[in-house]
Amino acid sequence: MNEGKTKNAALTTALAFHYQVLIGLDKCFSLEENQSVWFEKDGDVSLISPDTLESTQTEVKDYAAPLTDHHENLWKTLKNWLAPEFNHEQYGVLVLHTTQAFGTTTLLKDWNSQSAEQRLQVLSDIFAERSKDQLNAEQPSEVIKLHKAVMASDDLLLKSLLGKVTLFTQSDNKEMLEKQILSKPVGIPKNNLKSYLHGLIGFVYAKATQQSWVIKHQEFYAKCEELTTLLCKKEFTFPIFSGYEASELEVESHQDRPFVQKIAEIEHIEMIPDAVGNWIELQNSLLEQLDEFAFYKEKTITYQNQLVTKYKLAYSSAKLEATDPIKSSKLLYNKTIGEPPLNMGNNIPPLEYKNGLIHDAMDDDERNLKWRVEL
Protein backbone atom coordinates (compact mmCIF):
# COMPACT_ATOMS: atom_id res chain seq x y z
CA MET A 1 0.00 0.00 0.00
CA ASN A 2 1.41 3.38 -0.92
CA GLU A 3 1.74 6.26 1.52
CA GLY A 4 -1.24 8.11 0.05
CA LYS A 5 -3.55 5.16 0.56
CA THR A 6 -2.22 4.61 4.08
CA LYS A 7 -2.98 8.20 5.02
CA ASN A 8 -6.46 8.01 3.44
CA ALA A 9 -7.22 4.78 5.30
CA ALA A 10 -6.09 6.30 8.59
CA LEU A 11 -8.19 9.40 7.96
CA THR A 12 -11.26 7.30 7.12
CA THR A 13 -10.81 5.32 10.34
CA ALA A 14 -10.38 8.50 12.38
CA LEU A 15 -13.52 10.08 10.89
CA ALA A 16 -15.53 6.91 11.52
CA PHE A 17 -14.32 6.88 15.13
CA HIS A 18 -15.23 10.54 15.56
CA TYR A 19 -18.72 9.80 14.22
CA GLN A 20 -19.02 7.08 16.86
CA VAL A 21 -18.04 9.62 19.54
CA LEU A 22 -20.73 12.03 18.31
CA ILE A 23 -23.34 9.25 18.54
CA GLY A 24 -22.25 8.60 22.12
CA LEU A 25 -22.33 12.32 22.92
CA ASP A 26 -25.86 12.58 21.53
CA LYS A 27 -26.93 9.70 23.78
CA CYS A 28 -25.49 11.50 26.81
CA PHE A 29 -28.32 14.05 26.51
CA SER A 30 -30.83 11.26 27.23
CA LEU A 31 -29.04 10.02 30.36
CA GLU A 32 -31.11 9.72 33.50
CA GLU A 33 -29.82 9.45 37.06
CA ASN A 34 -27.50 6.45 37.64
CA GLN A 35 -27.19 5.83 33.91
CA SER A 36 -23.95 6.12 31.95
CA VAL A 37 -22.66 5.97 28.37
CA TRP A 38 -19.71 3.69 27.69
CA PHE A 39 -17.45 3.57 24.66
CA GLU A 40 -15.77 0.35 23.54
CA LYS A 41 -17.20 -1.64 26.45
CA ASP A 42 -19.10 -4.33 24.55
CA GLY A 43 -18.89 -2.67 21.17
CA ASP A 44 -19.13 0.89 19.91
CA VAL A 45 -21.49 2.66 22.32
CA SER A 46 -23.41 1.29 25.31
CA LEU A 47 -25.97 3.02 27.50
CA ILE A 48 -25.95 1.25 30.84
CA SER A 49 -28.91 1.57 33.19
CA PRO A 50 -29.77 -0.10 36.53
CA ASP A 51 -32.80 -1.42 34.63
CA THR A 52 -31.56 -3.95 32.05
CA LEU A 53 -34.53 -3.28 29.78
CA GLU A 54 -33.37 0.33 29.41
CA SER A 55 -29.77 -0.61 28.62
CA THR A 56 -28.82 -0.45 24.96
CA GLN A 57 -25.81 -1.50 22.97
CA THR A 58 -25.27 0.30 19.68
CA GLU A 59 -23.05 -0.56 16.76
CA VAL A 60 -22.33 2.50 14.63
CA LYS A 61 -21.81 2.39 10.85
CA ASP A 62 -21.18 5.41 8.65
CA TYR A 63 -21.62 4.01 5.13
CA ALA A 64 -22.96 5.40 1.88
CA ALA A 65 -23.87 2.06 0.23
CA PRO A 66 -27.43 0.79 0.87
CA LEU A 67 -28.16 -1.84 3.51
CA THR A 68 -28.97 -4.85 1.37
CA ASP A 69 -29.83 -8.42 2.38
CA HIS A 70 -26.25 -9.55 2.14
CA HIS A 71 -24.46 -6.45 3.39
CA GLU A 72 -21.81 -7.38 5.92
CA ASN A 73 -22.78 -4.59 8.34
CA LEU A 74 -25.86 -6.55 9.45
CA TRP A 75 -24.33 -10.02 9.38
CA LYS A 76 -21.06 -9.05 11.03
CA THR A 77 -22.90 -7.18 13.77
CA LEU A 78 -25.17 -10.20 14.42
CA LYS A 79 -22.12 -12.49 14.52
CA ASN A 80 -20.44 -10.24 17.09
CA TRP A 81 -23.56 -10.11 19.25
CA LEU A 82 -23.83 -13.94 19.11
CA ALA A 83 -20.21 -14.41 20.20
CA PRO A 84 -19.76 -16.12 23.61
CA GLU A 85 -17.88 -13.10 25.00
CA PHE A 86 -20.89 -10.82 24.42
CA ASN A 87 -23.61 -11.17 27.06
CA HIS A 88 -26.76 -9.88 25.38
CA GLU A 89 -28.78 -10.52 28.54
CA GLN A 90 -27.42 -7.33 30.10
CA TYR A 91 -29.14 -5.27 27.38
CA GLY A 92 -32.79 -4.68 26.58
CA VAL A 93 -32.11 -3.32 23.11
CA LEU A 94 -29.40 -3.94 20.50
CA VAL A 95 -29.15 -1.29 17.79
CA LEU A 96 -27.46 -1.30 14.42
CA HIS A 97 -27.18 2.46 13.85
CA THR A 98 -26.22 3.17 10.27
CA THR A 99 -26.31 6.03 7.83
CA GLN A 100 -27.30 3.49 5.17
CA ALA A 101 -30.78 3.40 3.64
CA PHE A 102 -32.46 0.05 3.04
CA GLY A 103 -31.82 -1.42 -0.41
CA THR A 104 -34.81 -1.15 -2.74
CA THR A 105 -35.48 -4.92 -2.83
CA THR A 106 -34.27 -5.91 0.62
CA LEU A 107 -36.23 -8.34 2.76
CA LEU A 108 -35.11 -6.35 5.81
CA LYS A 109 -37.35 -3.30 5.28
CA ASP A 110 -40.06 -4.46 7.75
CA TRP A 111 -37.56 -5.68 10.33
CA ASN A 112 -38.43 -3.33 13.17
CA SER A 113 -42.15 -4.28 13.16
CA GLN A 114 -41.52 -8.03 13.02
CA SER A 115 -41.43 -10.66 15.77
CA ALA A 116 -38.26 -12.61 16.54
CA GLU A 117 -39.65 -15.61 14.64
CA GLN A 118 -40.36 -13.48 11.58
CA ARG A 119 -36.87 -11.95 11.68
CA LEU A 120 -35.32 -15.42 11.88
CA GLN A 121 -37.39 -16.43 8.86
CA VAL A 122 -36.09 -13.38 6.95
CA LEU A 123 -32.51 -14.37 7.71
CA SER A 124 -33.25 -17.96 6.71
CA ASP A 125 -34.76 -16.78 3.40
CA ILE A 126 -31.71 -14.65 2.67
CA PHE A 127 -29.38 -17.51 3.57
CA ALA A 128 -31.35 -19.85 1.29
CA GLU A 129 -30.45 -17.64 -1.69
CA ARG A 130 -26.90 -18.90 -1.46
CA SER A 131 -26.09 -21.76 -3.78
CA LYS A 132 -24.40 -24.98 -2.68
CA ASP A 133 -21.34 -24.01 -4.68
CA GLN A 134 -21.08 -20.71 -2.81
CA LEU A 135 -21.56 -22.33 0.58
CA ASN A 136 -19.18 -25.21 -0.07
CA ALA A 137 -16.45 -23.24 -1.81
CA GLU A 138 -12.93 -23.85 -0.50
CA GLN A 139 -12.49 -20.12 -0.09
CA PRO A 140 -15.95 -18.64 0.52
CA SER A 141 -16.43 -14.87 0.58
CA GLU A 142 -16.29 -13.06 3.90
CA VAL A 143 -20.05 -12.41 3.80
CA ILE A 144 -20.82 -16.09 3.29
CA LYS A 145 -18.58 -16.92 6.25
CA LEU A 146 -20.68 -14.48 8.29
CA HIS A 147 -23.94 -16.00 6.98
CA LYS A 148 -22.83 -19.50 7.96
CA ALA A 149 -21.62 -18.42 11.41
CA VAL A 150 -24.90 -16.64 12.23
CA MET A 151 -27.22 -19.35 10.87
CA ALA A 152 -25.26 -22.09 12.65
CA SER A 153 -26.09 -20.52 16.02
CA ASP A 154 -28.43 -22.11 18.51
CA ASP A 155 -32.06 -21.32 17.56
CA LEU A 156 -33.10 -20.28 21.07
CA LEU A 157 -30.12 -17.94 21.40
CA LEU A 158 -30.71 -16.52 17.93
CA LYS A 159 -34.43 -15.86 18.54
CA SER A 160 -33.73 -14.32 21.94
CA LEU A 161 -31.17 -11.99 20.44
CA LEU A 162 -33.11 -11.12 17.28
CA GLY A 163 -36.05 -10.02 19.44
CA LYS A 164 -33.88 -7.18 20.77
CA VAL A 165 -32.36 -5.99 17.49
CA THR A 166 -33.42 -2.66 15.99
CA LEU A 167 -32.18 -1.45 12.61
CA PHE A 168 -31.81 2.33 12.76
CA THR A 169 -31.20 3.27 9.14
CA GLN A 170 -30.69 6.54 7.29
CA SER A 171 -29.35 8.08 10.48
CA ASP A 172 -27.91 11.59 10.40
CA ASN A 173 -24.44 12.07 9.00
CA LYS A 174 -21.76 13.92 10.98
CA GLU A 175 -22.92 17.40 9.97
CA MET A 176 -26.59 16.70 10.73
CA LEU A 177 -25.66 15.02 13.99
CA GLU A 178 -23.67 18.07 15.10
CA LYS A 179 -26.62 20.26 14.13
CA GLN A 180 -28.92 18.08 16.22
CA ILE A 181 -26.61 18.30 19.24
CA LEU A 182 -26.37 22.07 18.85
CA SER A 183 -30.18 22.34 18.97
CA LYS A 184 -30.20 21.11 22.59
CA PRO A 185 -28.55 23.90 24.65
CA VAL A 186 -30.71 26.84 25.73
CA GLY A 187 -29.42 30.38 26.28
CA ILE A 188 -26.20 30.02 24.27
CA PRO A 189 -25.69 32.77 21.63
CA LYS A 190 -25.34 31.50 18.07
CA ASN A 191 -21.68 32.55 17.82
CA ASN A 192 -20.85 30.44 20.89
CA LEU A 193 -22.51 27.18 19.82
CA LYS A 194 -19.40 25.76 18.16
CA SER A 195 -17.38 26.41 21.31
CA TYR A 196 -20.12 24.66 23.30
CA LEU A 197 -19.93 21.63 21.00
CA HIS A 198 -16.13 21.58 21.02
CA GLY A 199 -16.18 21.82 24.82
CA LEU A 200 -18.43 18.76 25.07
CA ILE A 201 -16.44 16.77 22.50
CA GLY A 202 -13.21 17.57 24.33
CA PHE A 203 -14.86 16.47 27.59
CA VAL A 204 -15.93 13.14 26.07
CA TYR A 205 -12.46 12.37 24.66
CA ALA A 206 -10.81 13.35 27.96
CA LYS A 207 -12.85 10.72 29.84
CA ALA A 208 -11.01 7.87 28.07
CA THR A 209 -8.47 6.03 30.22
CA GLN A 210 -6.47 2.86 29.82
CA GLN A 211 -9.10 1.01 31.88
CA SER A 212 -12.43 2.40 30.67
CA TRP A 213 -14.22 5.16 28.79
CA VAL A 214 -17.41 6.15 30.50
CA ILE A 215 -19.56 9.29 30.79
CA LYS A 216 -21.75 9.33 33.89
CA HIS A 217 -25.02 11.25 34.15
CA GLN A 218 -23.89 13.64 36.89
CA GLU A 219 -20.52 14.40 35.26
CA PHE A 220 -22.10 15.12 31.90
CA TYR A 221 -24.71 17.53 33.18
CA ALA A 222 -22.12 19.26 35.39
CA LYS A 223 -20.07 19.87 32.24
CA CYS A 224 -23.13 21.16 30.40
CA GLU A 225 -23.82 23.60 33.22
CA GLU A 226 -20.19 24.74 33.28
CA LEU A 227 -20.17 25.41 29.54
CA THR A 228 -23.54 27.15 29.68
CA THR A 229 -22.25 29.46 32.42
CA LEU A 230 -19.15 30.27 30.38
CA LEU A 231 -20.88 30.74 27.06
CA CYS A 232 -24.29 32.19 27.91
CA LYS A 233 -25.28 35.71 26.84
CA LYS A 234 -23.11 38.38 28.54
CA GLU A 235 -21.45 41.68 27.66
CA PHE A 236 -19.02 39.50 25.70
CA THR A 237 -17.98 35.87 25.86
CA PHE A 238 -14.57 35.21 27.36
CA PRO A 239 -12.81 32.36 25.47
CA ILE A 240 -12.01 29.13 27.29
CA PHE A 241 -8.34 28.87 28.34
CA SER A 242 -7.28 25.34 29.22
CA GLY A 243 -3.52 25.77 29.73
CA TYR A 244 -2.45 24.75 26.24
CA GLU A 245 0.75 22.69 26.18
CA ALA A 246 2.96 23.56 23.22
CA SER A 247 4.46 20.61 21.37
CA GLU A 248 8.21 20.31 20.76
CA LEU A 249 7.55 21.18 17.13
CA GLU A 250 5.64 24.34 18.10
CA VAL A 251 8.39 25.41 20.51
CA GLU A 252 10.95 24.89 17.76
CA SER A 253 8.91 26.76 15.17
CA HIS A 254 8.59 29.80 17.48
CA GLN A 255 12.18 29.84 18.75
CA ASP A 256 13.07 32.95 16.74
CA ARG A 257 10.20 35.06 18.00
CA PRO A 258 11.31 38.01 20.17
CA PHE A 259 9.43 36.86 23.29
CA VAL A 260 11.18 33.47 23.15
CA GLN A 261 14.59 35.04 22.48
CA LYS A 262 14.13 37.31 25.51
CA ILE A 263 13.55 34.31 27.77
CA ALA A 264 16.56 32.52 26.27
CA GLU A 265 18.62 35.68 26.86
CA ILE A 266 18.21 35.29 30.63
CA GLU A 267 18.97 31.53 30.44
CA HIS A 268 15.47 30.56 31.61
CA ILE A 269 15.14 27.90 28.92
CA GLU A 270 12.91 25.57 30.94
CA MET A 271 10.20 28.27 30.95
CA ILE A 272 9.97 28.51 27.16
CA PRO A 273 7.45 25.67 26.48
CA ASP A 274 4.87 27.16 28.90
CA ALA A 275 5.46 30.63 27.47
CA VAL A 276 4.91 29.40 23.91
CA GLY A 277 1.77 27.50 25.02
CA ASN A 278 0.31 30.61 26.69
CA TRP A 279 1.14 32.78 23.68
CA ILE A 280 -0.43 30.32 21.21
CA GLU A 281 -3.59 29.99 23.30
CA LEU A 282 -3.94 33.78 23.44
CA GLN A 283 -3.51 34.11 19.67
CA ASN A 284 -6.12 31.40 19.09
CA SER A 285 -8.55 33.15 21.43
CA LEU A 286 -8.23 36.33 19.38
CA LEU A 287 -9.26 34.40 16.27
CA GLU A 288 -12.43 32.97 17.82
CA GLN A 289 -15.50 34.87 16.74
CA LEU A 290 -17.45 34.32 19.93
CA ASP A 291 -20.48 36.36 20.94
CA GLU A 292 -19.58 40.09 20.96
CA PHE A 293 -15.94 39.19 20.22
CA ALA A 294 -15.21 42.83 19.26
CA PHE A 295 -15.64 43.74 22.95
CA TYR A 296 -13.26 40.94 23.93
CA LYS A 297 -10.55 42.37 21.68
CA GLU A 298 -11.16 45.87 22.96
CA LYS A 299 -11.03 44.78 26.61
CA THR A 300 -7.92 42.72 25.90
CA ILE A 301 -6.02 45.74 24.55
CA THR A 302 -6.88 47.77 27.66
CA TYR A 303 -5.98 44.88 29.95
CA GLN A 304 -2.62 44.34 28.24
CA ASN A 305 -1.73 48.00 28.69
CA GLN A 306 -2.47 47.65 32.41
CA LEU A 307 -0.19 44.62 32.60
CA VAL A 308 2.60 46.44 30.79
CA THR A 309 2.34 49.41 33.16
CA LYS A 310 2.57 47.07 36.13
CA TYR A 311 5.49 45.22 34.53
CA LYS A 312 7.46 48.44 33.95
CA LEU A 313 7.16 49.28 37.63
CA ALA A 314 8.36 45.79 38.58
CA TYR A 315 11.27 46.08 36.13
CA SER A 316 12.32 49.42 37.64
CA SER A 317 12.28 47.90 41.13
CA ALA A 318 14.28 44.90 39.92
CA LYS A 319 16.96 47.23 38.53
CA LEU A 320 17.27 49.02 41.87
CA GLU A 321 17.74 45.74 43.72
CA ALA A 322 19.84 43.91 41.12
CA THR A 323 23.19 42.39 42.05
CA ASP A 324 23.41 39.63 39.47
CA PRO A 325 21.82 40.28 36.02
CA ILE A 326 20.77 36.70 35.30
CA LYS A 327 19.53 35.95 38.81
CA SER A 328 17.61 39.24 39.04
CA SER A 329 16.12 38.70 35.57
CA LYS A 330 14.91 35.22 36.45
CA LEU A 331 13.40 36.49 39.69
CA LEU A 332 11.60 39.25 37.76
CA TYR A 333 10.29 36.68 35.26
CA ASN A 334 9.11 34.29 37.97
CA LYS A 335 7.40 37.03 39.94
CA THR A 336 5.66 38.49 36.89
CA ILE A 337 4.49 35.18 35.46
CA GLY A 338 3.49 33.75 38.85
CA GLU A 339 1.43 36.77 39.91
CA PRO A 340 -2.35 36.30 39.98
CA PRO A 341 -4.22 38.12 37.18
CA LEU A 342 -5.61 41.60 37.66
CA ASN A 343 -9.38 41.88 37.73
CA MET A 344 -11.18 42.51 34.46
CA GLY A 345 -14.29 44.32 35.61
CA ASN A 346 -15.97 41.99 38.12
CA ASN A 347 -14.17 38.91 36.82
CA ILE A 348 -10.70 37.44 37.22
CA PRO A 349 -9.39 36.15 33.86
CA PRO A 350 -7.34 32.93 33.62
CA LEU A 351 -3.63 32.99 34.48
CA GLU A 352 -2.84 31.67 30.99
CA TYR A 353 -4.61 34.65 29.43
CA LYS A 354 -2.63 37.12 31.55
CA ASN A 355 0.69 35.44 30.79
CA GLY A 356 -0.14 35.12 27.10
CA LEU A 357 -0.64 38.90 27.02
CA ILE A 358 2.70 39.52 28.75
CA HIS A 359 4.52 37.33 26.23
CA ASP A 360 2.60 39.05 23.43
CA ALA A 361 3.77 42.43 24.72
CA MET A 362 7.36 41.11 24.88
CA ASP A 363 6.93 40.07 21.25
CA ASP A 364 6.11 43.65 20.23
CA ASP A 365 9.39 45.41 19.40
CA GLU A 366 7.74 48.81 19.57
CA ARG A 367 7.09 48.35 23.28
CA ASN A 368 10.83 47.79 23.88
CA LEU A 369 10.30 45.42 26.82
CA LYS A 370 12.74 42.78 28.01
CA TRP A 371 13.34 40.40 30.88
CA ARG A 372 17.09 41.01 31.23
CA VAL A 373 17.74 43.37 34.12
CA GLU A 374 20.71 45.63 33.42
CA LEU A 375 22.91 46.71 36.33
Side-chain angles (χ1 to χ4, degrees), residues 135-337:
L135 295 173
N136 296 326
E138 286 187 12
Q139 294 183 328
S141 68
E142 289 302 313
V143 172
I144 289 181
K145 288 180 186 175
L146 295 171
H147 285 178
K148 294 170 72 174
V150 169
M151 299 312 293
S153 302
D154 177 82
D155 263 12
L156 287 178
L157 170 62
L158 195 49
K159 284 182 185 176
S160 176
L161 187 139
L162 291 178
K164 300 178 179 181
V165 174
T166 295
L167 303 183
F168 192 89
T169 58
Q170 290 183 280
S171 59
D172 291 336
N173 59 23
K174 171 181 167 292
E175 288 72 25
M176 292 301 295
L177 191 54
E178 288 182 348
K179 192 173 179 181
Q180 178 180 315
I181 293 171
L182 288 177
S183 70
K184 300 178 189 296
V186 176
I188 305 293
K190 185 180 177 182
N191 283 347
N192 293 354
L193 285 173
K194 277 192 177 178
S195 291
Y196 184 86
L197 177 64
H198 293 162
L200 284 182
I201 291 173
F203 165 75
V204 169
Y205 275 107
K207 297 300 290 182
T209 70
Q210 293 288 337
Q211 290 73 41
S212 64
W213 189 359
V214 56
I215 315 294
K216 297 178 181 175
H217 166 270
Q218 188 173 359
E219 295 172 335
F220 178 72
Y221 282 98
K223 187 63 183 180
C224 289
E225 288 176 6
E226 176 192 328
L227 289 171
T228 300
T229 301
L230 284 171
L231 299 170
C232 67
K233 185 67 180 173
K234 291 178 260 189
E235 179 187 7
F236 66 91
T237 299
F238 201 93
I240 298 172
F241 279 75
S242 57
Y244 181 76
E245 294 182 13
S247 66
E248 289 185 15
L249 186 62
E250 287 172 323
V251 172
E252 187 178 343
S253 67
H254 290 88
Q255 62 183 348
D256 294 330
R257 295 204 69 94
F259 81 95
V260 177
Q261 289 293 311
K262 289 171 184 176
I263 300 173
E265 187 183 26
I266 63 170
E267 302 172 17
H268 225 11
I269 305 299
E270 65 271 26
M271 300 297 167
I272 289 177
D274 282 346
V276 173
N278 291 161
W279 183 84
I280 290 175
E281 195 164 23
L282 173 72
Q283 305 309 316
N284 289 339
S285 80
L286 295 171
L287 295 175
E288 286 188 78
Q289 296 197 357
L290 298 172
D291 192 52
E292 303 294 355
F293 66 96
F295 283 115
Y296 169 67
K297 288 189 175 181
E298 182 182 313
K299 295 276 186 182
T300 291
I301 291 171
T302 303
Y303 190 79
Q304 187 178 45
N305 289 335
Q306 292 173 340
L307 291 175
V308 169
T309 299
K310 194 166 186 289
Y311 162 78
K312 287 180 176 175
L313 186 62
Y315 184 82
S316 176
S317 298
K319 279 186 71 174
L320 294 174
E321 298 170 352
T323 53
D324 179 313
I326 296 299
K327 181 179 178 182
S328 297
S329 301
K330 287 182 177 178
L331 287 172
L332 173 64
Y333 182 95
N334 292 351
K335 181 183 176 185
T336 305
I337 297 300

